[in-house]
């Protein structure tokens, strides 16, 4: 009788509904390239070289820029908390999370251009049981960051 009861049980696949959006609450960058292949990111014609002035960007169906940056970084952990939350409205799309070195800090150097330091591909929702608020680790080469997200369901 016991074998008959057990054979009637089936594992059912649980599918998480697709969220209507994803809220990014915070980005923490633990490791990032402090030089561009050994050359300082900020190496002026006159004066001393300094570390990168780091800000983040998310591209994909939407493009969102950081509203703040960390000046002259030297490898310390960067905790971006200002300017959040940020809403992604296409959770199943492929996004890029990028770190940039901001070059023109005061708007006086129109000839300068920001340098892309790293770009990491990221799909916020992959139907792996994501619900609620959680931390997602993204890595690429010598870059490691965590993104805190909240999955929004209508």
């Amino acid at each position: 009788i016991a074998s008959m009861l057990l054979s009637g049980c089936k594992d059912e696949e649980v599918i998480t509904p697709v969220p209507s959006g994803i809220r990014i609450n915070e980005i923490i960058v633990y490791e990032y390239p402090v030089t561009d292949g050994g050359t300082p990111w900020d190496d002026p014609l006159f004066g001393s070289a300094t570390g990168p002035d780091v800000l983040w960007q998310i591209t994909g169906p939407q493009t969102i820029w950081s509203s703040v940056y960390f000046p002259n970084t030297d490898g310390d952990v960067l905790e971006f908390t200002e300017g959040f939350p940020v809403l992604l409205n296409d959770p199943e799309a492929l996004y890029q999370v990028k770190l940039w070195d901001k070059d023109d800090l005061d708007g006086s150097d129109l000839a300068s251009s920001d340098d892309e330091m790293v770009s990491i591909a990221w799909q916020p929702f992959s139907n792996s049981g994501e619900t609620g608020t959680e931390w997602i680790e993204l890595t690429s080469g010598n870059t490691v960051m965590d993104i805190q997200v909240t999955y929004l369901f209508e």
Side-chain angles (χ1 to χ4, degrees):
I1 294 178
S3 64
M4 287 177 38
L5 291 174
L6 291 177
S7 65
C9 296
K10 293 184 180 179
D11 290 336
E12 292 186 27
E13 183 179 345
V14 177
I15 298 177
T16 305
V18 176
S20 57
I22 293 181
R23 185 176 63 225
I24 298 176
N25 305 308
E26 182 177 353
I27 297 175
I28 301 175
V29 182
Y30 297 101
E31 297 176 29
Y32 52 95
V34 293
T35 63
D36 183 10
T39 303
W41 287 105
D42 293 336
D43 195 7
L45 186 58
F46 301 103
S48 300
T50 60
D53 307 301
V54 180
L55 63 127
W56 58 264
Q57 177 192 37
I58 296 174
T59 62
Q62 301 162 254
T63 298
I64 304 165
W65 281 93
S66 171
S67 61
V68 298
Y69 67 92
F70 285 89
N72 301 324
T73 59
D74 60 4
D76 288 341
V77 172
L78 309 177
E79 190 169 354
F80 291 96
T81 57
E82 291 184 42
F84 290 99
V86 169
L87 181 66
L88 301 181
N89 56 22
D90 192 351
E92 294 182 293
L94 185 63
Y95 290 85
Q96 298 285 325
V97 179
K98 301 178 180 190
L99 296 180
W100 289 82
D101 169 39
K102 184 173 179 63
D103 283 337
D104 185 12
L105 303 181
D106 62 4
S108 65
D109 187 1
L110 300 178
S112 70
S113 60
D114 297 340
D115 304 306
E116 183 178 310
M117 300 168 62
V118 67
S119 180
I120 303 174
W122 175 49
Q123 184 178 14
F125 182 77
S126 60
N127 200 15
S128 300
E130 301 99 327
T131 61
T133 299
E134 52 187 75
W135 286 95
I136 298 171
E137 180 179 88
L138 301 178
T139 62
S140 177
N142 63 347
T143 302
V144 178
M145 69 178 76
D146 282 344
I147 299 180
Q148 186 191 58
V149 300
T150 301
Y151 296 96
L152 306 173
F153 297 92
E154 289 185 354

